Amino acid sequence: MRVDTISPLVLADGDVAIWRALLAGDPALTSPYLTPDWVRVVARRRPDVRVAIWRRDDGGAAGFLAVQGVGPHAAMPVGGPVCDYQAVAGPADIDVSLAAKALGVARIDLTAGLKDNAVGACLLTEDVGHVARFAHGWDGWSADRRAAGSKIVSRARKRLSKLARDHASGAVSFEPFSTDQAAFETLLTWKREQMRRTGVTDIFEHGWIDGVVREAFAAPASDPHFGSAMFVLRVSGQPIAVLFCLRAQKALHAWFVAYDHKFGDYSPGIILFAEAIKAAAAAGFTEMDLGPGDYKFKETFANYARPIGSGFIGRPGLSSVFKAAQFQMRALVESLPVGRARQWPAKAMRRLDIARGLVAPQDRAA
């Protein structure tokens, strides 16, 4: 089996069809981040995106893995810091080391690779993505949450009732699958303010990320393969909370969420997620992935933990040795009784990955 590497913008229609068929045939690969559509959206903003394609002797495609930042040292997941999952679209026994060789890189870093995938053997840490699955509808998901001891449904209902009581009759409304440009711009403004307030890097200062997010928002709702879904909670017509998701087939992935802090006492985010799940289930979607992260609200909404981890696909050489040493040091510190200091190596590695992923070739040239 050989591996070809090309720009996703020149993928043949036949290869795209095979890629989508591989995703459809594996229940673990429901994420919008794993679609050829996501890869091409990023590639239109970054010229350094490449796809490794495993091909059988007859030339037919057998697997796909997309990366960005191809250079002599290390490639990264396509979409960098705004992409939650990485995986090969293909069989679990595919030789992933062939991708690094074909791309001409020493290693391919994985920040959240799927355990139940060909990249699983390359992962050196363990984590989970939090997923709310509602294949049996809103009622089935609600019953599941109650059976697990979660009070999130009743809490969201009480908060919504209080919000409605404290405002004029009919002033509170929920808009599913909104295409309101003004609400979208409000969300981005809130997110940027949140980043500045918390000292987090403003990712929207990088034009390629802003372009990717805006293109996803503009994707036609009629395209089942990829696009977005926005949910808006309003008071007197004005947004007080907005949730922006990516979508692919029947799966949603919560991407950005923010709210007006004047309404913070009502937990508008909790209300919004509950209403969004209810609307998504009614529209035929079967899951909303909340992504990884140690957040209590994700755990209360999720009824499935997607096994993931970080690691790398490496070739023999100093780059792989260096990366392996980083993970070894991280594991050592995390095994010690040093309190919060146990988290420092992981946080440092994440910050470095974010910084590397944010910079596109045109940014380096500038």
Side-chain angles (χ1 to χ4, degrees), residues 1-3 5 52 54 94-103 313:
M1 186 175 290
R2 75 175 194 273
V3 176
T5 62
W54 284 260
I94 207 165
D95 186 352
V96 294
S97 67
L98 295 177
K101 182 177 181 181
L103 289 163
I313 301 168

Side-chain angles (χ1 to χ4, degrees), residues 19 49 63 119 127 238 274 365:
W19 190 333
V49 176
V119 303
D127 199 354
Q238 296 302 310

Side-chain angles (χ1 to χ4, degrees), residues 19-336:
W19 190 333
R20 288 174 174 159
L22 289 168
L23 296 178
D26 188 341
L29 303 180
T30 55
S31 174
Y33 294 117
L34 306 180
T35 65
D37 310 86
W38 163 256
V39 176
R40 290 192 288 192
V41 167
V42 178
R44 281 192 280 272
R45 307 292 172 173
R46 295 187 58 124
D48 61 345
V49 176
R50 293 293 181 273
V51 178
I53 307 175
W54 284 260
R55 294 196 182 277
R56 299 184 297 271
D57 292 341
D58 63 3
F64 301 85
L65 176 65
V67 302
Q68 71 183 31
V70 176
H73 302 298
M76 298 189 70
V78 66
V82 291
C83 169
D84 277 350
Y85 299 129
Q86 306 92 47
V88 171
D93 61 352
I94 207 165
D95 186 352
V96 294
S97 67
L98 295 177
K101 182 177 181 181
L103 289 163
V105 297
R107 66 175 201 266
I108 301 171
D109 289 342
L110 304 165
T111 55
L114 300 189
K115 286 278 190 179
D116 300 328
N117 185 259
V119 303
C122 303
L123 305 178
L124 301 172
T125 68
E126 294 186 356
D127 199 354
V128 297
H130 306 283
V131 187
R133 287 186 165 173
F134 36 86
H136 299 293
W138 164 260
D139 290 339
W141 174 80
S142 298
D144 181 272
R145 292 291 73 216
R146 287 193 295 271
S150 172
K151 298 181 180 179
I152 193 63
V153 177
S154 60
R155 181 184 173 193
R157 186 184 302 116
K158 290 176 182 177
R159 291 294 184 178
L160 179 57
S161 296
K162 178 174 173 54
L163 181 64
R165 284 196 309 271
D166 290 351
H167 295 81
S169 177
V172 178
S173 62
F174 171 71
E175 183 182 359
F177 304 102
S178 172
T179 58
D180 182 4
Q181 183 76 39
F184 174 72
E185 297 295 341
T186 296
L187 169 65
L188 298 189
T189 298
W190 284 342
K191 288 304 295 184
R192 300 194 73 172
E193 290 174 350
Q194 178 187 12
M195 292 172 188
R196 287 192 290 270
R197 186 173 62 253
T198 58
V200 175
T201 300
D202 183 353
I203 60 174
F204 293 101
E205 288 184 348
H206 297 264
W208 74 268
I209 288 184
D210 185 72
V212 165
V213 174
R214 291 182 181 280
E215 183 172 340
F217 176 73
S222 58
D223 185 351
H225 301 297
F226 180 83
S228 62
M230 188 170 72
F231 304 88
V232 184
L233 182 65
R234 301 178 185 270
V235 169
S236 300
Q238 296 302 310
I240 69 164
V242 182
L243 169 63
F244 184 59
C245 301
L246 289 178
R247 59 171 176 79
Q249 299 298 343
K250 296 182 179 181
L252 295 173
H253 189 109
W255 205 12
F256 298 105
V257 63
Y259 62 89
D260 185 337
H261 280 264
K262 294 194 298 289
F263 294 87
D265 290 344
Y266 297 98
S267 302
I270 297 297
I271 297 171
L272 181 59
F273 269 101
E275 292 297 309
I277 289 173
K278 187 175 183 178
F285 289 90
T286 58
E287 70 175 48
M288 180 184 289
D289 196 315
L290 308 176
D294 187 16
Y295 299 101
K296 186 63 177 178
F297 90 92
K298 292 186 178 185
E299 296 175 359
T300 57
F301 276 104
N303 55 356
Y304 173 72
R306 192 186 302 277
I308 61 173
S310 56
F312 65 96
I313 301 168
R315 298 169 64 191
L318 288 177
S319 181
S320 292
V321 170
F322 174 74
K323 195 66 174 180
Q326 284 186 323
F327 278 105
Q328 289 168 358
M329 179 60 70
R330 172 178 170 176
L332 174 61
V333 174
E334 289 177 348
S335 69
L336 298 175

